[in-house]
Amino acid sequence: MQIAGLNTLGISIARIDYAPLGQNPPHTHPRATEILTVLEGTLYVGFVTSNQPAPNRNKFFSKVLNKGDVFVFPVGLIHFQFNPNPHQPAIAIAALSSQNPGAITIANAVFGSDPPISYDVLAKAFQVEKNTIDYLQAQFWENNHN
């Protein structure tokens, strides 16, 4: 929508600036594959495969990328980028195979939903005590409590 020439072409592109030790937290694009190119700095990136049959069930793939390196995140898989350098920023370009890729940040969706997902559901799903869920949901207080 911001670049009229790209509208209806089935692609989108974004520049991402990472502060020192900054990250693009675990998220997914339900409608697009992403290809990331590092323009400056270093990024630690990774994704997790889906719940497919063994031996590849929830397999984690990761790599440290430097300037000029490229990495692909398959459509719908949870992935992240992290700048491990405490002193230098990093810059990357992300190209996506859809003009409307969608983005679901995992922690925000699970612990910051409105209304909140039941403590009972989350405690059982993550196999933790309810007070742990309370702590995690409190980190997203502004999203949970209007």
Side-chain angles (χ1 to χ4, degrees):
M1 298 307 288
Q2 294 178 352
I3 304 174
L6 294 181
N7 194 19
T8 73
L9 292 179
I11 59 171
S12 55
I13 192 166
R15 174 184 161 144
I16 308 168
D17 291 83
Y18 304 86
L21 300 179
Q23 71 171 334
N24 189 359
H27 65 283
T28 182
H29 303 288
R31 295 178 294 278
T33 292
E34 176 180 343
I35 185 166
L36 185 85
T37 303
V38 177
L39 301 180
E40 295 292 336
T42 300
L43 291 174
Y44 170 59
V45 303
F47 69 87
V48 179
T49 63
S50 62
N51 297 341
Q52 56 191 309
N56 293 319
R57 180 178 296 131
N58 297 323
K59 186 170 173 127
F60 177 55
F61 292 88
S62 66
K63 186 167 181 157
V64 174
L65 305 178
N66 296 299
K67 183 177 180 177
D69 289 342
V70 176
F71 198 84
V72 175
F73 304 104
V75 62
L77 298 186
I78 296 171
H79 61 282
F80 68 89
Q81 302 98 35
F82 173 71
N83 177 3
N85 191 317
H87 307 291
Q88 298 294 322
I91 302 170
I93 293 289
L96 298 112
S97 63
S98 171
Q99 67 194 39
N100 184 17
I104 301 168
T105 302
I106 305 307
N108 291 352
V110 174
F111 298 110
S113 66
D114 183 14
I117 298 171
S118 160
Y119 291 103
D120 294 323
V121 170
L122 294 178
K124 184 168 180 113
F126 288 99
Q127 301 176 17
V128 297
E129 299 294 323
K130 288 183 182 179
N131 63 346
T132 302
I133 300 301
D134 185 42
Y135 171 79
L136 291 169
Q137 286 182 324
Q139 306 311 303
F140 299 90
W141 188 87
E142 68 181 276
N143 294 331
N144 275 339
H145 303 86
N146 295 322

